[in-house]
Amino acid sequence: MPLITARQLEKTYLAGDIKVKAIQGVNFTIEPASFVSFVGPSGSGKSTLLNMIGCLDPPSSGDLQVAGQDTTRLNRKQAALFRGEHIGFVFQDFNLIPVLTVFENVEYPLQMVLNWPKEKRQNRVRELLKAVGVGDQGDKYPNQISGGQKQRVAVARALVTNARLVLADEPTANLDRKTANRIIGLMKEMRDEFGTTFIFSTHDPKVVGNAETIFTLEDGKLL
Ligand code: ADP
Ligand code: MG
């Protein structure tokens, strides 16, 4: 069974009196443990689509199933619970909490969302930091590590709760190309190791090299 099924998906925003058709009649399926990229220029609808898959913003019409759940039927509170249980997020600007150490940033979802006991939490955090290649950076603060290292920490944080889907909206936009390709390579390794489905977006066609499935968006439509 596919992890994600979208049928005739539409998203229209109202900006004042003007309707913006951000996503128009989009259909796709994504299998579990896939490594997928949505590529397209700025304004093509990548963030809108990822936000719908991530249950952050509901579709205007159409069908969107994620992990067996009809996402169009979730209210805000149910959507938040669903995200906490199933989905990890990685952002363009890393979104680490500056006053927490690297270790504490990755520990945060286990403590605040899942309320795991301390020892279990700390073992899990150590495992993930090691897996993403920053096992020796746990005591540092985000402003003491490089952009590439920050994004490694963000990938660890997205994976720490055992999410089966990680959504990464332009995760490499603030990285140089070499570091960008390393981060995409890291995400693919994590997919291989943990079986997590990764979906990332990029406006840079040169960054999609490693993706197994590439969907190209233009003006809200899949090519
Ligand atoms: P991308 O992530 O590919 O740059 P977006 O999904 O952010 O594209 O945007 C797709 C289209 O929807 C653009 O025309 C954008 O201006 C519009 N849009 C996005 N978010 C909103 C919003 N909250 N209100 C109105 N229009 C929006
Ligand atoms: Mg965007």
Side-chain angles (χ1 to χ4, degrees):
M1 198 175 102
L3 181 67
I4 304 172
T5 306
R7 291 283 166 255
Q8 288 305 115
L9 201 58
E10 309 259 347
K11 181 74 184 184
T12 305
Y13 291 111
L14 261 185
D17 306 335
I18 302 166
K19 280 187 179 174
V20 180
K21 291 189 167 187
I23 292 292
Q24 310 184 51
V26 161
N27 298 290
F28 60 85
T29 58
I30 292 174
E31 295 299 321
S34 306
F35 195 65
V36 177
S37 182
F38 284 94
V39 192
S42 175
S44 58
K46 304 182 296 295
S47 295
T48 301
L49 193 54
L50 259 54
N51 289 344
M52 287 194 285
I53 296 171
C55 302
L56 291 162
D57 204 11
S60 304
S61 64
D63 254 9
L64 182 60
Q65 307 274 336
V66 178
Q69 173 69 51
D70 177 354
T71 66
T72 59
R73 301 178 87 88
L74 297 173
N75 64 30
R76 284 181 79 87
K77 195 170 172 191
Q78 292 167 329
L81 281 172
F82 182 78
R83 286 197 300 273
E85 223 173 299
H86 297 290
I87 308 177
F89 293 89
V90 175
F91 303 93
Q92 171 173 343
D93 47 9
F94 319 122
N95 281 24
L96 301 179
I97 301 171
V99 296
L100 298 183
T101 64
V102 161
F103 192 96
E104 291 164 343
N105 264 279
V106 178
E107 188 181 22
Y108 190 85
L110 297 179
Q111 190 169 10
M112 303 310 287
V113 184
L114 298 186
N115 205 10
W116 282 21
K118 187 168 177 182
E119 197 179 318
K120 186 178 174 196
R121 228 165 50 214
Q122 297 195 331
N123 289 336
R124 176 74 177 153
V125 174
R126 272 191 284 274
E127 178 194 5
L128 262 294
L129 288 179
K130 198 169 160 219
V132 301
V134 291
D136 53 352
Q137 306 292 312
D139 292 336
K140 292 196 178 156
Y141 286 87
N143 67 5
Q144 296 174 313
I145 59 176
S146 69
Q149 287 174 320
K150 280 182 211 171
Q151 208 55 311
R152 286 174 186 270
V153 175
V155 171
R157 183 182 54 186
L159 288 168
V160 76
T161 57
N162 247 322
R164 50 172 141 167
L165 171 62
V166 172
L167 299 173
D169 193 3
E170 305 236 20
T172 61
N174 289 332
L175 302 173
D176 62 77
R177 173 131 328 127
K178 198 166 135 196
T179 309
N181 283 322
R182 285 203 185 123
I183 291 296
I184 301 301
L186 168 72
M187 294 198 300
K188 197 171 189 180
E189 276 171 38
M190 296 298 101
R191 188 285 306 266
D192 294 344
E193 190 164 341
F194 300 112
T196 316
T197 298
F198 278 82
I199 304 178
F200 69 98
S201 70
T202 177
H203 62 261
D204 183 350
K206 292 207 176 82
V207 169
V208 302
N210 270 318
E212 289 169 350
T213 308
I214 300 172
F215 293 112
T216 304
L217 275 167
E218 207 176 277
D219 296 330
K221 293 178 184 145
L222 275 187
L223 296 189

Short mmCIF file of all heavy atoms in Angstrom, two decimals, residues 50-84:
data_model
loop_
_atom_site.label_atom_id
_atom_site.label_comp_id
_atom_site.label_asym_id
_atom_site.label_seq_id
_atom_site.Cartn_x
_atom_site.Cartn_y
_atom_site.Cartn_z
N LEU A 50 4.17 20.37 0.21
CA LEU A 50 4.77 19.75 1.40
C LEU A 50 3.96 20.07 2.66
O LEU A 50 3.80 19.22 3.53
CB LEU A 50 6.23 20.19 1.57
CG LEU A 50 7.27 19.16 1.09
CD1 LEU A 50 7.06 18.72 -0.33
CD2 LEU A 50 8.69 19.67 1.29
N ASN A 51 3.44 21.29 2.74
CA ASN A 51 2.64 21.65 3.91
C ASN A 51 1.34 20.85 3.97
O ASN A 51 0.86 20.53 5.06
CB ASN A 51 2.32 23.14 3.92
CG ASN A 51 3.56 23.98 4.22
OD1 ASN A 51 4.57 23.46 4.70
ND2 ASN A 51 3.49 25.26 3.92
N MET A 52 0.77 20.52 2.80
CA MET A 52 -0.43 19.69 2.81
C MET A 52 -0.09 18.26 3.23
O MET A 52 -0.78 17.67 4.06
CB MET A 52 -1.11 19.72 1.43
CG MET A 52 -1.80 21.04 1.16
SD MET A 52 -2.93 20.98 -0.25
CE MET A 52 -1.79 20.96 -1.62
N ILE A 53 1.00 17.71 2.66
CA ILE A 53 1.41 16.34 3.03
C ILE A 53 1.71 16.29 4.53
O ILE A 53 1.39 15.32 5.21
CB ILE A 53 2.65 15.90 2.22
CG1 ILE A 53 2.32 15.81 0.74
CG2 ILE A 53 3.15 14.55 2.73
CD1 ILE A 53 3.54 15.57 -0.16
N GLY A 54 2.31 17.37 5.06
CA GLY A 54 2.66 17.41 6.47
C GLY A 54 1.51 17.79 7.39
O GLY A 54 1.73 18.01 8.58
N CYS A 55 0.30 17.88 6.84
CA CYS A 55 -0.89 18.20 7.63
C CYS A 55 -0.74 19.52 8.37
O CYS A 55 -1.22 19.68 9.49
CB CYS A 55 -1.23 17.09 8.62
SG CYS A 55 -1.49 15.51 7.83
N LEU A 56 -0.04 20.46 7.76
CA LEU A 56 0.10 21.80 8.32
C LEU A 56 -0.96 22.73 7.75
O LEU A 56 -1.29 23.76 8.34
CB LEU A 56 1.49 22.37 8.01
CG LEU A 56 2.65 21.69 8.73
CD1 LEU A 56 3.98 21.99 8.05
CD2 LEU A 56 2.69 22.10 10.19
N ASP A 57 -1.47 22.36 6.56
CA ASP A 57 -2.42 23.21 5.85
C ASP A 57 -3.32 22.27 5.05
O ASP A 57 -2.80 21.43 4.31
CB ASP A 57 -1.60 24.12 4.91
CG ASP A 57 -2.33 25.40 4.57
OD1 ASP A 57 -3.36 25.68 5.21
OD2 ASP A 57 -1.87 26.10 3.65
N PRO A 58 -4.64 22.38 5.18
CA PRO A 58 -5.52 21.42 4.49
C PRO A 58 -5.68 21.76 3.00
O PRO A 58 -5.62 22.93 2.62
CB PRO A 58 -6.85 21.58 5.22
CG PRO A 58 -6.82 22.95 5.80
CD PRO A 58 -5.39 23.31 6.04
N PRO A 59 -5.91 20.72 2.16
CA PRO A 59 -6.19 20.99 0.74
C PRO A 59 -7.51 21.74 0.60
O PRO A 59 -8.37 21.65 1.47
CB PRO A 59 -6.34 19.58 0.14
CG PRO A 59 -5.81 18.63 1.14
CD PRO A 59 -5.90 19.29 2.48
N SER A 60 -7.68 22.47 -0.52
CA SER A 60 -8.97 23.11 -0.82
C SER A 60 -9.94 22.07 -1.34
O SER A 60 -11.13 22.12 -1.06
CB SER A 60 -8.79 24.22 -1.85
OG SER A 60 -7.86 25.15 -1.40
N SER A 61 -9.43 21.12 -2.17
CA SER A 61 -10.25 19.99 -2.59
C SER A 61 -9.35 18.85 -3.04
O SER A 61 -8.13 19.01 -3.15
CB SER A 61 -11.20 20.40 -3.72
OG SER A 61 -10.45 20.76 -4.85
N GLY A 62 -9.96 17.70 -3.27
CA GLY A 62 -9.21 16.51 -3.65
C GLY A 62 -8.98 15.61 -2.45
O GLY A 62 -9.49 15.87 -1.37
N ASP A 63 -8.22 14.54 -2.71
CA ASP A 63 -7.98 13.49 -1.72
C ASP A 63 -6.51 13.45 -1.37
O ASP A 63 -5.66 13.49 -2.26
CB ASP A 63 -8.26 12.14 -2.40
CG ASP A 63 -9.54 11.54 -1.93
OD1 ASP A 63 -10.29 12.23 -1.22
OD2 ASP A 63 -9.77 10.37 -2.28
N LEU A 64 -6.22 13.34 -0.08
CA LEU A 64 -4.82 13.17 0.31
C LEU A 64 -4.74 12.20 1.48
O LEU A 64 -5.15 12.52 2.59
CB LEU A 64 -4.20 14.53 0.69
CG LEU A 64 -2.72 14.50 1.09
CD1 LEU A 64 -1.84 13.97 -0.04
CD2 LEU A 64 -2.25 15.88 1.52
N GLN A 65 -4.23 11.00 1.16
CA GLN A 65 -4.04 9.97 2.19
C GLN A 65 -2.57 9.94 2.58
O GLN A 65 -1.71 9.86 1.70
CB GLN A 65 -4.40 8.59 1.63
CG GLN A 65 -5.76 8.48 0.99
CD GLN A 65 -6.85 8.17 2.01
OE1 GLN A 65 -6.57 7.62 3.07
NE2 GLN A 65 -8.08 8.56 1.69
N VAL A 66 -2.29 9.98 3.88
CA VAL A 66 -0.91 9.86 4.36
C VAL A 66 -0.90 8.80 5.46
O VAL A 66 -1.65 8.92 6.45
CB VAL A 66 -0.38 11.20 4.92
CG1 VAL A 66 1.04 11.04 5.47
CG2 VAL A 66 -0.41 12.29 3.86
N ALA A 67 -0.10 7.76 5.28
CA ALA A 67 0.01 6.67 6.26
C ALA A 67 -1.36 6.15 6.68
O ALA A 67 -1.66 5.99 7.86
CB ALA A 67 0.80 7.15 7.49
N GLY A 68 -2.20 5.92 5.68
CA GLY A 68 -3.51 5.33 5.94
C GLY A 68 -4.54 6.31 6.47
O GLY A 68 -5.69 5.94 6.71
N GLN A 69 -4.15 7.56 6.65
CA GLN A 69 -5.07 8.56 7.21
C GLN A 69 -5.57 9.48 6.09
O GLN A 69 -4.76 10.00 5.31
CB GLN A 69 -4.32 9.37 8.27
CG GLN A 69 -5.09 10.55 8.83
CD GLN A 69 -6.28 10.13 9.68
OE1 GLN A 69 -6.14 9.31 10.58
NE2 GLN A 69 -7.45 10.67 9.38
N ASP A 70 -6.88 9.68 6.05
CA ASP A 70 -7.45 10.69 5.16
C ASP A 70 -7.23 12.05 5.82
O ASP A 70 -7.92 12.42 6.76
CB ASP A 70 -8.95 10.40 4.98
CG ASP A 70 -9.62 11.45 4.11
OD1 ASP A 70 -8.96 12.46 3.74
OD2 ASP A 70 -10.81 11.27 3.82
N THR A 71 -6.22 12.79 5.32
CA THR A 71 -5.79 14.01 6.02
C THR A 71 -6.85 15.11 5.95
O THR A 71 -6.85 16.01 6.78
CB THR A 71 -4.49 14.57 5.43
OG1 THR A 71 -4.75 15.01 4.10
CG2 THR A 71 -3.39 13.54 5.42
N THR A 72 -7.75 15.00 4.97
CA THR A 72 -8.76 16.06 4.84
C THR A 72 -9.80 15.99 5.96
O THR A 72 -10.58 16.91 6.14
CB THR A 72 -9.49 15.97 3.47
OG1 THR A 72 -10.10 14.69 3.38
CG2 THR A 72 -8.51 16.14 2.32
N ARG A 73 -9.79 14.90 6.73
CA ARG A 73 -10.77 14.75 7.81
C ARG A 73 -10.22 15.16 9.18
O ARG A 73 -10.93 15.05 10.17
CB ARG A 73 -11.24 13.29 7.89
CG ARG A 73 -11.88 12.80 6.60
CD ARG A 73 -12.27 11.35 6.73
NE ARG A 73 -13.59 11.21 7.31
CZ ARG A 73 -14.71 11.21 6.60
NH1 ARG A 73 -14.67 11.31 5.30
NH2 ARG A 73 -15.88 11.08 7.18
N LEU A 74 -8.95 15.57 9.24
CA LEU A 74 -8.35 15.90 10.54
C LEU A 74 -8.64 17.35 10.91
O LEU A 74 -8.45 18.25 10.09
CB LEU A 74 -6.83 15.71 10.48
CG LEU A 74 -6.29 14.30 10.22
CD1 LEU A 74 -4.78 14.34 10.03
CD2 LEU A 74 -6.64 13.38 11.39
N ASN A 75 -9.08 17.59 12.15
CA ASN A 75 -9.13 18.97 12.62
C ASN A 75 -7.73 19.38 13.10
O ASN A 75 -6.80 18.57 13.06
CB ASN A 75 -10.20 19.15 13.71
CG ASN A 75 -9.89 18.35 14.97
OD1 ASN A 75 -8.72 18.11 15.29
ND2 ASN A 75 -10.92 17.92 15.67
N ARG A 76 -7.57 20.62 13.52
CA ARG A 76 -6.22 21.13 13.85
C ARG A 76 -5.53 20.30 14.91
O ARG A 76 -4.35 20.00 14.82
CB ARG A 76 -6.30 22.58 14.31
CG ARG A 76 -6.52 23.56 13.20
CD ARG A 76 -6.57 24.98 13.76
NE ARG A 76 -5.23 25.48 14.04
CZ ARG A 76 -4.47 26.10 13.13
NH1 ARG A 76 -4.92 26.27 11.91
NH2 ARG A 76 -3.28 26.53 13.44
N LYS A 77 -6.28 19.94 15.95
CA LYS A 77 -5.69 19.20 17.06
C LYS A 77 -5.29 17.78 16.63
O LYS A 77 -4.21 17.29 16.96
CB LYS A 77 -6.70 19.16 18.21
CG LYS A 77 -6.07 18.74 19.51
CD LYS A 77 -6.99 18.95 20.68
CE LYS A 77 -6.35 18.30 21.91
NZ LYS A 77 -7.30 18.24 23.03
N GLN A 78 -6.19 17.15 15.85
CA GLN A 78 -5.89 15.80 15.35
C GLN A 78 -4.69 15.84 14.41
O GLN A 78 -3.85 14.93 14.41
CB GLN A 78 -7.11 15.23 14.62
CG GLN A 78 -8.27 14.93 15.55
CD GLN A 78 -9.57 14.68 14.78
OE1 GLN A 78 -9.79 15.24 13.69
NE2 GLN A 78 -10.44 13.85 15.34
N ALA A 79 -4.61 16.90 13.60
CA ALA A 79 -3.48 17.03 12.68
C ALA A 79 -2.17 17.16 13.46
O ALA A 79 -1.16 16.56 13.10
CB ALA A 79 -3.68 18.24 11.76
N ALA A 80 -2.19 17.92 14.56
CA ALA A 80 -0.98 18.09 15.38
C ALA A 80 -0.54 16.76 15.97
O ALA A 80 0.64 16.42 15.98
CB ALA A 80 -1.24 19.12 16.47
N LEU A 81 -1.50 15.98 16.46
CA LEU A 81 -1.17 14.66 17.02
C LEU A 81 -0.61 13.74 15.95
O LEU A 81 0.37 13.03 16.16
CB LEU A 81 -2.43 14.02 17.62
CG LEU A 81 -2.84 14.52 18.99
CD1 LEU A 81 -4.20 13.95 19.38
CD2 LEU A 81 -1.79 14.15 20.04
N PHE A 82 -1.24 13.78 14.78
CA PHE A 82 -0.81 12.93 13.65
C PHE A 82 0.63 13.28 13.25
O PHE A 82 1.46 12.40 13.06
CB PHE A 82 -1.76 13.13 12.47
CG PHE A 82 -1.43 12.26 11.29
CD1 PHE A 82 -1.79 10.91 11.29
CD2 PHE A 82 -0.75 12.78 10.20
CE1 PHE A 82 -1.47 10.10 10.21
CE2 PHE A 82 -0.43 11.98 9.12
CZ PHE A 82 -0.79 10.63 9.12
N ARG A 83 0.93 14.57 13.16
CA ARG A 83 2.30 15.00 12.85
C ARG A 83 3.28 14.50 13.90
O ARG A 83 4.34 13.95 13.56
CB ARG A 83 2.38 16.54 12.82
CG ARG A 83 1.76 17.19 11.62
CD ARG A 83 2.25 18.62 11.47
NE ARG A 83 1.93 19.48 12.61
CZ ARG A 83 0.79 20.14 12.75
NH1 ARG A 83 -0.16 20.04 11.82
NH2 ARG A 83 0.58 20.92 13.80
N GLY A 84 2.93 14.68 15.17
CA GLY A 84 3.83 14.28 16.25
C GLY A 84 4.15 12.80 16.18
O GLY A 84 5.27 12.37 16.48
#
